[in-house]
Amino acid sequence: MEHWISIADSITVQEAIDFVQSPASGGIVTFTGTVRNQTQQKSVHKLFFECYEPMAVLELEKIAKAAGEKWPVQRMALLHVKGEKLPGEVVVVIAVAAAHRAAAFEACQFAIDTLKETVPIWKKEFFDDGEVWVAAHP
Amino acid sequence: MRVMLFGIMKDIVAAGSLTVPEQLSDVGALRTWLLQEYPAMKNLRAVMIAVNKAYAADGQPLAPGDEIAIIPPLSGG
């Protein structure tokens, strides 16, 4: 299984699809995460993503490897941004190609769920009246 | 020993990294020391510690030259 991992200032859905697409693939599933302009009834102006990049890359590698062992997927792309992002901008893209759709759907869901649990990336939300690190408190 | 800080841990310590006593022999001892020095850490849901870019259990020994990072609750994706 081939995979591509990238942590960059800017990412696109198309570059992830371009990487995973091949004549052997019958299905490509993508997940795209974007910046939401609201959280708990407060307007969000921007987000800042901080990243422990070398470890984040290793954890993303582990996710790709685990997905490849659990499902017959052919190619995966796992892309995440770092730095400042505005509402509507793309912050994470997972693309999975497989011969059949079920494996691609399941591997894609596994990848984004696991990413949120294990990849050392932190998000700060900026509001009118301050800023907060997300998920920092109980 | 030098440890790297991220996210809200930077705010709690008011620095991007921290020097901790050399005699902290394992991850659990480091965790205990951090909680004593920075009680605000107790308000965080879960704090993990990474050694050489991998999550480490409390029993893992620390050696000079290890790359140590304090990992507050994650929020990527």
Side-chain angles (χ1 to χ4, degrees):
Chain A
M1 202 271 289
E2 287 188 64
H3 64 270
W4 174 41
I5 283 159
S6 176
I7 295 174
D9 294 332
S10 174
I11 59 175
T12 68
V13 178
Q14 193 59 50
E15 65 185 341
I17 292 174
D18 289 346
F19 174 79
V20 300
Q21 200 155 36
S22 84
S25 296
I28 293 171
V29 171
T30 63
F31 171 80
T32 307
T34 56
V35 179
R36 201 173 49 225
N37 66 1
Q38 268 214 333
T39 184
Q40 295 166 350
Q41 281 130 29
K42 290 175 84 169
S43 291
V44 175
H45 298 305
K46 66 175 180 183
L47 294 183
F48 172 72
F49 287 92
E50 183 175 14
C51 181
Y52 177 16
E53 192 164 338
M55 182 173 168
V57 168
L58 291 176
E59 289 297 323
L60 288 167
E61 300 267 358
K62 284 184 196 169
I63 292 171
K65 185 165 182 285
E69 285 167 1
K70 283 166 89 95
W71 293 280
V73 297
Q74 294 160 330
R75 283 176 163 242
M76 279 186 90
L78 299 105
L79 318 182
H80 204 294
V81 296
K82 56 185 175 180
E84 279 191 4
K85 289 286 138 188
L86 301 173
E89 288 192 279
V90 173
V91 298
V92 59
V93 179
I94 313 274
V96 185
H100 304 287
R101 68 183 182 280
F105 271 114
E106 288 171 24
C108 189
Q109 171 132 32
F110 164 82
I112 185 62
D113 289 350
T114 311
L115 181 155
K116 285 175 148 318
E117 286 172 8
T118 65
V119 178
I121 297 176
W122 299 269
K123 174 163 67 187
K124 186 182 249 190
E125 290 172 333
F126 290 79
F127 311 110
D128 280 335
D129 57 351
E131 56 197 61
V132 67
W133 287 104
V134 177
H137 297 286
Chain B
M1 279 184 299
R2 199 120 188 103
V3 303
M4 292 186 285
L5 304 169
F6 294 97
I8 197 169
M9 280 301 298
K10 272 187 180 167
D11 297 349
I12 289 173
V13 177
S17 67
L18 181 62
T19 301
V20 303
E22 295 293 330
Q23 63 266 29
L24 297 173
S25 60
D26 64 21
V27 168
L30 170 60
R31 184 187 298 283
T32 303
W33 184 88
L34 285 167
L35 285 164
Q36 278 167 4
E37 296 290 316
Y38 302 99
M41 255 181 79
K42 290 178 186 140
N43 298 327
L44 303 183
R45 184 162 41 78
V47 175
M48 292 181 280
I49 294 174
V51 178
N52 299 325
K53 306 180 187 75
Y55 293 110
D58 279 357
Q60 180 161 333
L62 296 175
D66 279 346
E67 180 177 311
I68 305 168
I70 312 303
I71 311 278
L74 304 173
S75 50

